Amino acid sequence: MSGLLRYAIWSCKAMFQLRKLVLRGAGVMDAMETFEPGGNILAGESDTGKSYLLHCIDYVFGADELRKRIPEAEVYSDIFVELENSAGEFLTLKRHLAGGKIAVYRSRFESMSATQPEVVTSKRGTGKGIKDISAVLFAFAGIPEAVLRKNNRGATQRLSMRMFLPVLLIDEIAVIDDRSPVLGKSGFSETAHKRTFSFMLSGKDDEGIVTSEEQVLVKARSTAQLGVITELLAPLEERAAKRQFASPLASEEIHEAINSISDHLTLITDERTNLYLEREASTAELNRAEYQVIALKELLSRYHLLDGRYASDLERLDFVAEGAHYFKELQETRCPLCDQVMDGAHEHSAEASAESVHQSARAEAGKILGHRADLAETIEAVTSRMQEQAMQAAAAKANLSRIEDRLTQVIIPSFTEVAARLDDLVSHRIELERANSERDQIRNLSELKRQIETALDTKEEKETWQQLPAKALRELCSEIETILGKWSWKGPGRVDFDQKEYDIVVDGQSRQSHGKGVRAVLYAAFAIGLLRYCRSKGTPHPGMVIIDSPLTSYKKGKSSSTGDGPVDPGIEASFWESMAGLDDGIQVVIVENKEPPQDVAEKVHYQWFAGDAAKPGERAGLIPR
């Protein structure tokens, strides 16, 4: 968000004012103090709890701890602070005296029980979506979230409520201190406090500033980078000096040669693949033919055995027929089986005559001869088939021999030779590319080394930042001049702002050069003047100022040995009188030991703490007895 847009958003929001502070504990009466718009005076004796009130507000606004403890407050457990903005909205903050987070009730103190509280942290947390008290108070007062520069290198930080404290809650020590009313107590965040003051004057923050790293860190990192680059360069340069190429071919020539040899190798590879496929097919054909030949040989062997059986049967039939011829020529004789005469009625005699035997033998022989003729034809066919298969096997063997000769004598030697040549070229190209790559690395690293060495030799240029806006400073000083005029300041009352000391200079004399009494008066004038300026210009300011003891150190009508110089006796009276004329749009709370004039006390919200001498009807202190 741009500074102008932030200013536009701020200008239509409201400041807030303090309405109530309450201490509450179990079994004890509430300690309560109320406040009104415009001037508020809380006066009384010492040790009546006046300053403790300011520390309580600081604690609820996000301090790490309650910096001041009083014995009377030990019975209380919680602090409540009620705020109201100019839109009429109320906010009540609750925090335990032992510490912890802050409960936020968006209601009056009396209506808290009907409101669900929102719990926030005192400081911005690291968790996502966690709110802190600054975000709550800024939203309530219409102060936009802002980013402010925190050092001269341009590093930034988020604006917090703590950055407003030097001009918001001014304790009795700070008011007389000679430190700048802008910078506050701590010197560790001076730049951030300065930028907060500028933000209050102009409404513009430091978002978008480019951060420059600390020169010591930059040089340390650059020196480390230089060492790494030197270590990387050494081996590269050594290899470049020793590198020699056996071939003078350029990169383009190597590329063309690789493409040509790759094409040749592809042709050889394709032919080899085709020969492998052909060899596989011929091997399958050879195996099939050889299996066929073996099977047919076995079948022929069986057929020849069958033919031999047929021949044996024919010989047996011839024997039977011839035996029948001789059988009929035999004389009667006794049977070798039964020893009977083998006559016609003998049981073992052949019933058939020799002629019938001849006829049967011829018939059987005819059948066998027919079968044998068929068998001969079959044998002839099988023999022819076997010869064909043998020829196919021989052809397959011849083809395999041709393929093997081609592979072993031509293809494989050519493939080996071309592949080796291709490997050499590829290796040469890789080496050439590596050399080119390393040459580029040497060039780039050398250039980077030169740049780093140049940067290390270059002196750091001090950053220059824009000064505070002159017009706004002049208008602020005019507001302070008006206040000093109302306070009867002796002299012209010309106010300037010293941007070196970040403090005001009145009539040519710095605030620090005065004694503590005048320093306190001028601090109060600065804080009230800044509040009036922010109110009139619509720039960021919470909307209230609490000042502890601005007049206690002031000695009316006297000069101080510490360098106060002449002081107009009417300053204190005019100071009190000005409280009665404050605009209700702002709120100033004065905590003092001194009593204001009666007519002033009647015109402002006034509370007197009588202390131990309190009479009936008078209030002894912040803590009720």
Side-chain angles (χ1 to χ4, degrees):
M1 186 182 295
S2 68
L4 290 177
L5 182 55
R6 289 174 181 272
Y7 180 87
I9 292 176
W10 159 252
S11 64
C12 50
K13 292 290 184 177
M15 294 177 171
F16 66 68
Q17 296 180 6
L18 180 65
R19 289 291 174 263
K20 194 170 295 183
L21 181 130
V22 182
L23 296 175
R24 174 167 286 180
V28 293
M29 183 186 301
D30 288 348
M32 180 184 299
E33 185 58 48
T34 60
F35 302 88
E36 299 293 338
N40 292 259
I41 300 174
L42 186 63
E45 300 293 338
S46 298
D47 297 328
T48 54
K50 302 186 306 299
S51 297
Y52 181 70
L53 178 146
L54 185 142
H55 288 284
C56 287
I57 296 172
D58 178 36
Y59 178 63
V60 173
F61 279 3
D64 292 333
E65 61 181 353
L66 187 58
R67 293 186 178 90
K68 184 174 182 178
R69 300 275 183 177
I70 57 176
E72 297 84 356
E74 294 299 325
V75 295
Y76 296 102
S77 58
D78 297 296
I79 301 177
F80 298 86
V81 171
E82 180 186 284
L83 304 172
E84 181 184 7
N85 63 19
S86 59
E89 299 168 336
F90 284 87
L91 193 72
T92 301
L93 309 177
K94 171 188 174 184
R95 192 175 187 188
H96 198 282
L97 284 168
K101 296 182 179 180
I102 302 166
V104 179
Y105 297 84
R106 300 192 181 276
S107 67
R108 291 177 178 270
F109 171 74
E110 292 79 6
S111 307
M112 286 189 309
S113 59
T115 308
Q116 184 67 27
E118 175 185 3
V119 178
V120 299
T121 59
S122 59
K123 292 183 179 179
R124 189 173 193 179
T126 57
K128 186 176 181 180
I130 298 178
K131 270 188 178 182
D132 65 347
I133 189 62
S134 293
V136 172
L137 291 176
F138 285 174
F140 189 66
I143 300 175
E145 291 284 340
V147 175
L148 302 177
R149 181 167 54 84
K150 65 179 180 180
N151 56 37
N152 287 330
R153 299 188 305 275
T156 58
Q157 69 180 38
R158 171 180 173 264
L159 175 68
S160 71
M161 195 67 186
R162 314 301 301 166
M163 305 306 296
F164 286 105
L165 292 186
V167 294
L168 177 68
L169 303 176
I170 306 167
D171 61 35
E172 58 188 347
I173 303 300
V175 76
I176 62 174
D177 197 1
D178 59 1
R179 285 189 55 83
S180 161
V182 172
L183 304 182
K185 298 177 182 178
S186 174
F188 295 104
S189 55
E190 283 193 358
T191 302
H193 278 95
K194 290 177 181 179
R195 298 310 300 158
T196 302
F197 179 57
S198 176
F199 181 53
M200 297 173 74
L201 290 177
S202 65
K204 299 177 183 179
D205 68 356
D206 295 327
E207 186 177 23
I209 286 180
V210 178
T211 303
S212 61
E213 297 177 89
E214 190 172 355
Q215 188 68 10
V216 175
L217 298 177
V218 172
K219 286 189 175 181
R221 183 169 61 251
S222 297
T223 303
Q225 291 173 347
L226 190 61
V228 173
I229 291 172
T230 303
E231 291 180 0
L232 292 174
L233 270 175
L236 292 174
E237 292 174 340
E238 183 179 356
R239 283 198 297 271
K242 294 180 178 180
R243 182 175 286 113
Q244 293 180 354
F245 293 106
S247 172
L249 292 178
S251 178
E252 296 78 6
E253 295 174 332
I254 293 176
H255 184 70
E256 292 176 0
I258 288 175
N259 289 339
S260 176
I261 293 177
S262 297
D263 293 340
H264 188 195
L265 189 62
T266 300
L267 294 175
I268 295 174
T269 302
D270 292 342
E271 184 178 357
R272 183 182 64 175
T273 301
N274 293 333
L275 287 174
Y276 283 158
L277 294 174
E278 188 177 353
R279 184 176 64 177
E280 183 179 353
S282 296
T283 300
E285 178 65 19
L286 175 61
N287 291 336
R288 186 195 61 76
E290 287 180 343
Y291 292 153
Q292 289 289 326
V293 169
I294 292 172
L296 291 173
K297 280 184 178 181
E298 181 66 23
L299 187 59
L300 282 175
S301 175
R302 293 177 181 273
Y303 285 170
H304 284 306
L305 288 175
L306 181 58
D307 185 65
R309 181 66 59 84
Y310 284 160
S312 175
D313 289 345
L314 289 173
E315 289 177 356
R316 187 171 60 253
L317 288 173
D318 287 342
F319 177 77
V320 170
E322 186 177 356
H325 170 71
Y326 288 109
F327 187 76
K328 71 179 180 178
E329 299 297 330
L330 292 176
Q331 297 179 356
E332 293 183 353
T333 183
R334 292 185 179 278
C335 178
L337 297 176
C338 61
D339 200 30
Q340 296 294 324
V341 177
M342 298 175 60
D343 54 11
H346 190 270
E347 187 179 7
H348 302 294
S349 62
E351 295 184 1
S353 62
E355 185 62 27
S356 63
V357 171
H358 277 287
Q359 291 178 356
S360 298
R362 282 195 297 274
E364 185 65 26
K367 291 180 181 180
I368 292 174
L369 288 173
H371 289 317
R372 194 174 188 188
D374 292 339
L375 181 60
E377 292 178 0
T378 302
I379 289 173
E380 183 179 0
V382 171
T383 300
S384 176
R385 175 65 178 168
M386 186 178 67
Q387 291 174 350
E388 291 177 1
Q389 294 299 320
M391 291 175 64
Q392 291 181 3
K397 284 183 179 180
N399 195 36
L400 284 173
S401 179
R402 179 187 63 79
I403 292 171
E404 290 298 331
D405 290 343
R406 177 69 177 170
L407 286 172
T408 56
Q409 296 177 15
V410 179
I411 300 302
I412 293 177
S414 298
F415 182 86
T416 303
E417 180 183 357
V418 174
R421 175 62 177 159
L422 182 61
D423 288 343
D424 289 341
L425 287 173
V426 170
S427 298
H428 190 81
R429 184 176 68 177
I430 291 174
E431 181 63 21
L432 186 61
E433 290 176 350
R434 182 183 293 113
N436 292 334
S437 175
E438 290 185 353
R439 186 165 55 251
D440 292 339
Q441 290 181 41
I442 291 173
R443 183 172 59 254
N444 294 335
L445 289 174
S446 297
E447 176 61 22
L448 184 58
K449 180 180 178 182
R450 185 192 64 78
Q451 293 176 0
I452 293 176
E453 289 174 342
T454 303
L456 288 174
D457 292 338
T458 304
K459 294 183 178 180
E460 179 185 8
E461 293 184 6
K462 189 175 181 180
E463 293 284 355
T464 56
W465 301 101
Q466 184 179 8
Q467 296 291 313
L468 294 172
K471 181 180 178 181
L473 276 180
R474 183 63 255 158
E475 291 175 345
L476 171 62
C477 291
S478 295
E479 285 286 353
I480 301 173
E481 289 171 356
T482 301
I483 292 172
L484 291 178
K486 291 181 179 180
W487 290 359
S488 302
W489 179 265
K490 185 177 181 180
R494 168 72 181 186
V495 178
D496 296 296
F497 190 83
D498 184 352
Q499 294 199 47
K500 182 179 179 181
E501 299 295 335
Y502 264 74
D503 207 339
I504 57 175
V505 176
V506 181
D507 294 334
Q509 186 174 357
S510 66
R511 191 184 70 89
Q512 292 95 334
S513 66
H514 289 284
K516 59 183 179 180
V518 176
R519 286 201 300 266
V521 170
L522 293 179
Y523 197 144
F526 175 82
I528 298 172
L530 180 60
L531 174 58
R532 287 165 53 95
Y533 168 85
C534 293
R535 172 69 178 175
S536 65
K537 298 298 181 181
T539 55
H541 193 293
M544 52 177 278
V545 174
I546 302 178
I547 307 174
D548 190 356
S549 305
L551 300 176
T552 297
S553 299
Y554 173 67
K555 302 298 182 181
K556 180 164 48 174
K558 294 184 180 180
S559 299
S560 171
S561 60
T562 58
D564 279 346
V567 178
D568 187 271
I571 285 184
E572 182 176 325
S574 299
F575 177 90
W576 288 126
E577 187 64 32
S578 70
M579 292 299 105
L582 286 176
D583 179 8
D584 286 348
I586 62 174
Q587 184 182 49
V588 177
V589 179
I590 302 298
V591 178
E592 260 294 349
N593 290 344
K594 298 179 179 182
E595 292 186 70
Q598 183 62 34
D599 60 334
V600 172
E602 293 174 355
K603 296 176 182 177
V604 300
H605 179 75
Y606 173 62
Q607 178 63 57
W608 168 257
F609 292 156
D612 293 337
K615 299 176 181 178
E618 290 184 335
R619 189 170 175 180
L622 176 66
I623 310 298
R625 295 181 179 178

